Amino acid sequence: MKMQFLLSLLLLCLLHVHPTLSGRYLLLEHKALLSVKSSITDDPQSALSTWNASTSHCNWEGITCHPSRRRVTALKLVHLQLSGTLSPDLAHLSFLSELSFSLNQLSGAIPTELSSLSALRILNLSNNEFNGSFPSQLSLLKNLQVLDLSHNRMTGDLPLAVTQMPDLRHLNLGGNDFSGRITSQFGQWKFLEFLDVSSNSLGGPIPLEIGNLTNLRELYIGYNMYEGGIPSEIWNLSELVHFEASNCINLSGEIPPEIGNLVSLKSLDLSNNVFTGEIPASFAELKSMRLLQLSENKLHGAIPEFICDMPELEELQLGENNFTGIIPQRLGKNGKLQLLDLSSNKLTGTLPPYMCFGNRLETLNTEENLLVGPIPDSLGRCESLFKIRMGHNLLNGSMPGDLFGLPNLSIVRLQNNCLNGKFPISSRNDSKLIWLDISDNKIHGELPSWIWRLPHLQFLNLSHNCLETLDVNLNSQTSQTRFNILDLHSNQLRGQLSTLPLHFRPIIKYSFTIVSRNKFDDTTTPLVLGTMTAVFLSRNKFDGNIPTSLCNATFYAIDLSHNRLNGTIPQCLIEMRLLQVMDLGGNNLTGVIPDSFPDYCRLQSLFLNGNQLEGELPKSMAKCNKTLEVLDIGNNRIQDTFPCYLKNIDTLRVLILRSNEFYGSINCLDAYTTWSNLQILDLASNHFVGKFPIRYFSSWKAMMGTENSEFEHLRYDITPDLAYQIMVTVTLKDLVLLLEKVLTIFTSLDLSCNSLDGHIPAEIGEFKALYALNLSHNCFSGQIPQALGKLTSLESLDLSSNKLIGEIPLQLADGLIFLSYLNLSFNQLVGKIPQIKQFTTFTESSFEGNIRLCDFPMKEKCIPEELGPSPPPAKESHWNSIDWDFLSVELGFVFGFGIFIGPLIFSKRWRKRYYKHVDDIVFKMFPRTYIRIENHRRRAHRNQGRQGRRNQGRRD
């Protein structure tokens, strides 16, 4: 040290004696800084506009010079959005003690030439895009005290070279992609106070040598992949103030009682790990604790009472554990609580009354527990409250009358509770409410008009309640609310849609902050919901026409289904360019579907099922060929041929045309059909004829099981917390079922109740993912293909009411191991019913109407082929003996039969009445058989008439 001091003194003397030498160095620094500027490729804020050769560099932006020697001592260009690279000519600034380019967009490698800046004390290049590995030459910076390279793109092993910088006080390497492990050398610094290696790809155990950093005040090691637990030595760092080891996935074990030694600790974050056990009693010693974050672990037991006695506690986050028991009723009584998150546990009892005792509480999250009782009235007076999340509990009673009048309240989520009563009657005109979700409760009565006057409300979900009426004072012209999402479905609201003040925000891109698991970050403020605009008014009692005023908004999704709407579909709805989901099913709509789908159509799902629509299917729907996934127009009066223009829509998953008046063949489904994602095809109850051209359908990969489908529901995400669930009605196992959640692996093919003929194609056997197959009530002939036995996923098979012949293939019984519904009735099948596997569980109704089927469950027993006919009975040897008892019975039968049959022979009137009575009995007992006999009679009568006319013609 003495030698360095003498050399520095000598250098100063030389510069003082030789001004030309000093000027030469100043010129060199001037050129070096201009080189730094030239390496900057983009300067959007013109921060370097003052950097020019005509002025002294000591006057440039971001430059600090020594007051007397005019040498550069600090270069700070922070948060200026600079792009480019870092010039190696910085090495010529030999007096530089601080170099900071943080919060820019610089890239490339960190120049190794920086290692010559021996006077450097602070090097901060954080929040850029520097890549490559850490230059080992930087270990020469022996005087460095602050090194911050956080939030870049640096790779390689965690650099061991930094451990050769003995004077480090602050080391931040977090937010990169360093790998390897923390080595024992990281515990040898004498002065280190701040260490951050979080958010990398580090593994291995946490070294116990970290416990040697006795001056350490802040330690951040989270968001890595360590093994084992936290070394007990760390709990001896008595100076530690902030400790974060969250999101390490494999960190496990119990939290040790030694944690009570950290008496200076103000924040502890061990969230999202695998810690078990209870909260140690030694936590009671942490009197300085302000933030305690233990969420997303496997902790259990009760929340200890001593947490209420932490005098400085501001944030308590214990969500997503297995805590039980009641919430301590004194929680919050320290008067400083700002954030409380107890969500996703198994807590019971009531909410504490003192949570907002100091009027500082901003965020309250107790959702997904088993809490009961009313919402405390004290929350209605908590003016600091910003966010409430108490959904998915058993809360009851009415909502506090002043709750919606709180000046800062922006987000309220009370869904899935047992809240009852009516809405509070008033709210503030200057309310900041953005998000209001009280769905799935028992709120009844009137939907108040003040809801529509909230100036900032963007998300309103009151679905699944008992709301009945609209405020009579409602005036659509005075509404201030402009929604992003409006959801009122599944209530009992009545009236015309035109009375609702439906004003929506334009679809523009908003920003919001989300963290893992699609939850808003409780530590940040979500600005707004997102980019989607949607309205859900289904399952109410709205009537009248669909108002064309809806077309003034630009929707992502619109659902008006299952109301009492009538009239026609407004053409402007069909013409919406950004519309992706439209459901108008279950109403009384009439007329035709407007043929005005727009160019670049983005429609993904169209539901018109259950109306009275007629005419043809619009050809312009072909413009949706890049997006359409679900088309359901079943149960209408559409009269058209098969919509062949849909066959090249590769995105199509669900096509339902059932119960209309489609006619003709479907031969257009040829080798060019590209339905690789099709999972539900329902053409039932139409007038299709001809053969089903299954041989071309090798592209139906979803039904063949060759398309990789994830086990998820078919839905569209509206916001991070709201998804539109696709629901379709299918006929399955002889039942009409509403699939409220359509799995992407569910496949169904229903061609029933048409006039399709020919053999059942054996190619259907390639649809190995098929869950349900219904070909009933057609004219299929021939034998049941053995290939159907390859449908190993099949649970429902209906081939009834066709003209099938032959025996039931043994392969069918052997291969369909999951079959739970079978209907082969009313065909012409013969032989023995297989007695293996699932076939032994089916009743006679599965096989009735096949008069030559035998064995269980039929009453007829099969006669073995090797046995001949039964021998005739032996003749009676005593011909002369008379059995008078038998003879009297015979004579009585003949006499009675004569009395009954005589009038039938000689009286025409008697015969007509008798035959009519017999026909009625047969029709009631065997309707199918009666119809077949009657059709046969009519055909025979027609043929007889034709033959008679031919004979008469010949005679003439």
Side-chain angles (χ1 to χ4, degrees):
M1 293 294 293
K2 291 182 179 179
M3 182 61 69
Q4 290 180 354
F5 175 75
L6 291 174
L7 289 174
S8 300
L9 185 61
L10 178 61
L11 180 61
L12 289 174
C13 293
L14 288 172
L15 290 175
H16 181 72
V17 172
H18 299 284
T20 55
L21 183 61
S22 176
R24 188 180 306 146
Y25 280 116
L26 292 176
L27 181 60
L28 189 61
E29 287 188 346
H30 191 91
K31 292 181 178 179
L33 290 172
L34 290 177
S35 175
V36 170
K37 180 180 180 180
S38 65
S39 67
I40 302 298
T41 57
D42 189 20
D43 178 14
Q45 299 182 23
S46 300
L48 304 183
S49 59
T50 58
W51 288 37
N52 56 72
S54 62
T55 59
S56 170
H57 61 267
C58 290
N59 297 325
W60 293 352
E61 176 75 20
I63 302 294
T64 301
C65 291
H66 191 279
S68 59
R69 291 192 292 270
R70 310 293 292 169
R71 303 293 297 276
V72 178
T73 58
L75 173 54
K76 298 173 61 177
L77 295 173
V78 177
H79 210 326
L80 299 173
Q81 297 180 307
L82 300 175
S83 299
T85 59
L86 206 57
S87 172
D89 289 337
L90 285 168
H92 296 297
L93 306 177
S94 54
F95 275 69
L96 197 64
S97 64
E98 179 178 358
L99 177 62
S100 180
F101 276 90
S102 64
L103 294 164
N104 284 290
Q105 299 172 18
L106 301 177
S107 58
I110 297 175
T112 59
E113 288 81 359
L114 296 183
S115 60
S116 64
L117 297 175
S118 57
L120 203 60
R121 301 290 190 274
I122 300 174
L123 177 59
N124 187 351
L125 303 178
S126 63
N127 293 281
N128 281 282
E129 298 179 13
F130 290 112
N131 52 39
S133 58
F134 181 85
S136 59
Q137 295 88 338
L138 295 187
S139 62
L140 299 175
L141 300 176
K142 304 298 183 182
N143 294 315
L144 202 63
Q145 296 180 3
V146 175
L147 175 60
D148 192 344
L149 304 179
S150 61
H151 301 288
N152 281 284
R153 299 182 179 179
M154 304 190 70
T155 57
D157 285 344
L158 191 68
L160 193 59
V162 296
T163 64
Q164 301 175 35
M165 302 173 180
D167 288 344
L168 276 181
R169 266 75 168 172
H170 181 111
L171 175 61
N172 193 346
L173 302 175
N176 283 283
D177 197 20
F178 290 120
S179 55
R181 59 178 61 193
I182 305 173
T183 62
S184 59
Q185 288 90 332
F186 274 73
Q188 67 185 20
W189 283 291
K190 294 181 180 180
F191 309 109
L192 196 68
E193 297 177 358
F194 181 103
L195 175 61
D196 188 345
V197 293
S198 64
S199 301
N200 281 288
S201 301
L202 305 178
I206 301 171
L208 55 87
E209 285 81 7
I210 296 294
N212 297 331
L213 302 175
T214 55
N215 289 314
L216 203 62
R217 294 176 58 83
E218 299 185 43
L219 176 60
Y220 305 96
I221 58 175
Y223 291 87
N224 283 292
M225 297 173 287
Y226 309 116
E227 300 171 0
I230 298 175
S232 58
E233 286 78 4
I234 288 182
W235 308 121
N236 295 323
L237 296 174
S238 58
E239 299 296 320
L240 204 60
V241 176
H242 303 288
F243 180 38
E244 183 270 326
S246 65
N247 290 273
C248 294
I249 303 176
N250 296 322
L251 276 184
S252 58
E254 296 189 358
I255 301 175
E258 290 81 4
I259 195 171
N261 298 333
L262 306 180
V263 293
S264 300
L265 203 62
K266 293 183 179 179
S267 69
L268 174 66
D269 188 351
L270 302 179
S271 62
N272 200 10
N273 288 297
V274 201
F275 290 114
T276 57
E278 300 184 4
I279 296 177
S282 59
F283 267 69
E285 305 299 322
L286 305 178
K287 301 298 184 183
S288 300
M289 184 70 70
R290 294 182 179 176
L291 185 151
L292 178 57
Q293 166 62 294
L294 302 176
S295 60
E296 297 183 72
N297 279 285
K298 295 184 178 181
L299 301 172
H300 63 264
I303 298 175
E305 285 282 344
F306 59 72
I307 286 184
C308 305
D309 299 322
M310 292 181 172
E312 304 298 326
L313 190 64
E314 298 176 358
E315 298 186 13
L316 176 62
Q317 302 191 48
L318 304 178
E320 298 192 51
N321 280 285
N322 294 311
F323 289 116
T324 55
I326 67 171
I327 304 173
Q329 294 296 292
R330 294 186 297 113
L331 189 60
K333 205 166 184 180
N334 67 346
K336 296 184 178 180
L337 197 61
Q338 298 178 20
L339 187 152
L340 177 61
D341 184 357
L342 306 177
S343 62
S344 301
N345 281 287
K346 300 173 183 177
L347 298 171
T348 57
T350 60
L351 290 164
Y354 299 108
M355 293 180 293
C356 192
F357 185 68
N359 204 23
R360 296 186 181 183
L361 187 66
E362 297 178 0
T363 298
L364 173 60
N365 189 351
T366 61
E367 65 183 6
E368 295 185 19
N369 279 286
L370 302 171
L371 301 173
V372 298
I375 299 173
D377 289 336
S378 57
L379 290 182
R381 300 186 295 271
C382 186
E383 295 188 353
S384 59
L385 204 55
F386 167 76
K387 181 189 302 184
I388 296 177
R389 297 179 66 163
M390 296 191 292
H392 301 277
N393 279 284
L394 302 172
L395 299 175
N396 53 41
S398 58
M399 293 174 286
D402 299 327
L403 185 64
F404 299 110
L406 297 176
N408 296 302
L409 192 62
S410 297
I411 297 174
V412 177
R413 302 188 59 180
L414 303 174
Q415 74 278 11
N416 287 93
N417 278 287
C418 302
L419 298 172
N420 52 42
K422 299 182 178 181
F423 265 99
I425 60 174
S426 63
S427 179
R428 298 171 63 100
N429 291 331
D430 59 345
S431 170
K432 296 181 181 178
L433 205 59
I434 297 174
W435 185 307
L436 178 58
D437 187 351
I438 317 180
S439 59
D440 290 278
N441 279 282
K442 300 177 181 179
I443 308 298
H444 63 86
E446 186 179 72
L447 182 59
S449 59
W450 61 258
I451 287 283
W452 313 97
R453 292 195 294 269
L454 299 175
H456 304 291
L457 189 63
Q458 298 170 31
F459 180 103
L460 176 62
N461 188 351
L462 306 178
S463 63
H464 290 283
N465 277 287
C466 306
L467 296 170
E468 301 159 354
T469 60
L470 302 173
D471 191 330
V472 294
N473 298 316
L474 190 62
N475 185 345
S476 62
Q477 303 301 319
T478 61
S479 172
Q480 298 181 41
T481 303
R482 297 183 67 82
F483 297 105
N484 279 98
I485 310 294
L486 173 64
D487 190 350
L488 302 178
H489 85 273
S490 298
N491 279 281
Q492 300 175 30
L493 294 168
R494 58 177 59 91
Q496 295 195 350
L497 290 182
S498 57
T499 61
L500 286 175
L502 299 177
H503 303 302
F504 293 86
R505 298 174 186 271
I507 294 185
I508 56 176
K509 187 169 183 178
Y510 296 105
S511 61
F512 52 85
T513 304
I514 5 177
V515 292
S516 63
R517 304 196 179 186
N518 287 338
K519 290 187 176 180
F520 282 112
D521 186 353
D522 283 330
T523 62
T524 59
T525 301
L527 299 180
V528 81
L529 305 181
T531 61
M532 303 306 179
T533 300
V535 57
F536 307 113
L537 303 177
S538 64
R539 301 185 187 278
N540 281 284
K541 299 178 181 179
F542 291 116
D543 54 26
N545 295 339
I546 299 175
T548 57
S549 58
L550 283 175
C551 302
N552 296 331
T554 306
F555 286 109
Y556 167 86
I558 180 169
D559 186 352
L560 308 179
S561 64
H562 299 282
N563 280 284
R564 300 171 180 176
L565 303 175
N566 50 41
T568 60
I569 299 174
Q571 180 174 330
C572 59
L573 282 186
I574 299 295
E575 294 174 347
M576 285 187 169
R577 293 182 176 275
L578 299 180
L579 188 66
Q580 299 185 35
V581 178
M582 181 164 68
D583 191 347
L584 305 179
N587 284 288
N588 298 310
L589 300 174
T590 57
V592 300
I593 305 172
D595 193 4
S596 56
F597 287 87
D599 295 333
Y600 308 107
C601 171
R602 300 186 183 183
L603 196 66
Q604 296 180 14
S605 293
L606 176 61
F607 300 88
L608 300 175
N609 194 309
N611 283 285
Q612 302 177 41
L613 300 170
E614 51 192 19
E616 296 184 350
L617 208 60
K619 302 296 188 295
S620 60
M621 194 180 297
K623 297 178 181 179
C624 306
N625 61 341
K626 296 186 182 301
T627 57
L628 191 64
E629 294 185 0
V630 179
L631 175 61
D632 184 356
I633 58 168
N635 297 285
N636 279 284
R637 301 173 181 175
I638 304 296
Q639 296 176 320
D640 200 355
T641 57
F642 185 83
C644 296
Y645 48 86
L646 300 178
K647 70 178 184 178
N648 294 325
I649 302 181
D650 187 50
T651 54
L652 199 63
R653 287 183 172 272
V654 177
L655 177 59
I656 298 178
L657 307 180
R658 74 174 297 123
S659 297
N660 278 282
E661 298 179 23
F662 286 96
Y663 58 90
S665 69
I666 49 178
N667 287 329
C668 63
L669 297 180
D670 51 24
Y672 299 101
T673 305
T674 58
W675 285 344
S676 62
N677 293 298
L678 189 69
Q679 59 184 91
I680 297 177
L681 176 61
D682 189 348
L683 308 181
S685 300
N686 281 286
H687 307 294
F688 291 118
V689 298
K691 293 179 173 56
F692 189 60
I694 197 75
R695 62 186 180 276
Y696 294 117
F697 296 164
S698 60
S699 64
W700 294 22
K701 296 179 181 178
M703 290 191 180
M704 298 175 72
T706 58
E707 191 76 8
N708 293 326
S709 294
E710 298 181 1
F711 192 83
E712 58 185 17
H713 299 123
L714 188 58
R715 66 179 193 178
Y716 304 118
D717 291 329
I718 308 295
T719 72
D721 291 314
L722 177 68
Y724 183 81
Q725 193 75 55
I726 297 300
M727 296 186 291
V728 298
T729 300
V730 296
T731 301
L732 188 64
K733 301 181 181 180
D734 207 26
L735 297 172
V736 178
L737 300 176
L738 174 64
L739 298 182
E740 294 186 354
K741 292 184 177 181
V742 182
L743 291 173
T744 53
I745 61 171
F746 176 86
T747 57
S748 171
L749 178 59
D750 192 344
L751 307 177
S752 61
C753 301
N754 282 285
S755 298
L756 300 173
D757 56 26
H759 294 280
I760 295 177
E763 288 84 353
I764 292 183
E766 299 302 318
F767 289 176
K768 295 184 177 65
L770 204 59
Y771 178 90
L773 175 62
N774 191 346
L775 305 179
S776 66
H777 295 87
N778 279 285
C779 302
F780 288 112
S781 57
Q783 296 184 339
I784 299 175
Q786 297 179 2
L788 295 189
K790 297 191 293 184
L791 302 177
T792 53
S793 298
L794 203 66
E795 294 191 22
S796 176
L797 174 63
D798 193 344
L799 304 179
S800 64
S801 299
N802 280 287
K803 300 177 181 179
L804 301 174
I805 62 174
E807 297 183 349
I808 299 174
L810 185 62
Q811 294 85 346
L812 206 66
D814 189 50
L816 306 184
I817 57 175
F818 293 110
L819 198 65
S820 60
Y821 176 83
L822 174 68
N823 193 348
L824 302 178
S825 64
F826 299 102
N827 281 286
Q828 301 170 28
L829 301 173
V830 301
K832 182 176 181 179
I833 298 174
Q835 300 296 307
I836 61 173
K837 299 182 179 178
Q838 299 298 103
F839 267 60
T840 61
T841 66
F842 299 122
T843 63
E844 185 178 357
S845 62
S846 295
F847 306 99
E848 65 177 334
N850 294 278
I851 60 175
R852 297 183 62 189
L853 282 179
C854 55
D855 262 6
F856 182 84
M858 309 301 288
K859 295 182 177 63
E860 292 290 329
K861 300 298 180 183
C862 294
I863 301 175
E865 293 181 1
E866 62 271 10
L867 298 178
S870 301
K875 294 183 178 180
E876 179 61 52
S877 59
H878 303 288
W879 288 97
N880 55 350
S881 62
I882 298 175
D883 188 343
W884 290 103
D885 292 336
F886 176 78
L887 184 60
S888 63
V889 172
E890 292 285 343
L891 291 172
F893 176 77
V894 170
F895 181 74
F897 182 75
I899 293 175
F900 177 76
I901 203 69
L904 295 180
I905 297 174
F906 299 105
S907 175
K908 183 176 181 181
R909 180 181 179 186
W910 186 279
R911 283 200 305 272
K912 287 184 177 180
R913 289 183 178 180
Y914 170 76
Y915 290 141
K916 184 178 186 304
H917 183 64
V918 171
D919 285 351
D920 290 341
I921 294 174
V922 172
F923 177 73
K924 291 177 180 178
M925 294 180 63
F926 309 105
R928 297 173 188 261
T929 305
Y930 175 82
I931 292 172
R932 290 179 179 177
I933 292 173
E934 188 64 24
N935 289 336
H936 179 73
R937 285 177 180 171
R938 291 173 181 173
R939 284 197 296 270
H941 181 72
R942 285 197 300 269
N943 292 337
Q944 186 177 5
R946 292 192 190 106
Q947 187 63 37
R949 286 192 294 272
R950 291 194 191 100
N951 294 337
Q952 182 67 31
R954 293 192 188 100
R955 286 194 295 268
D956 294 342

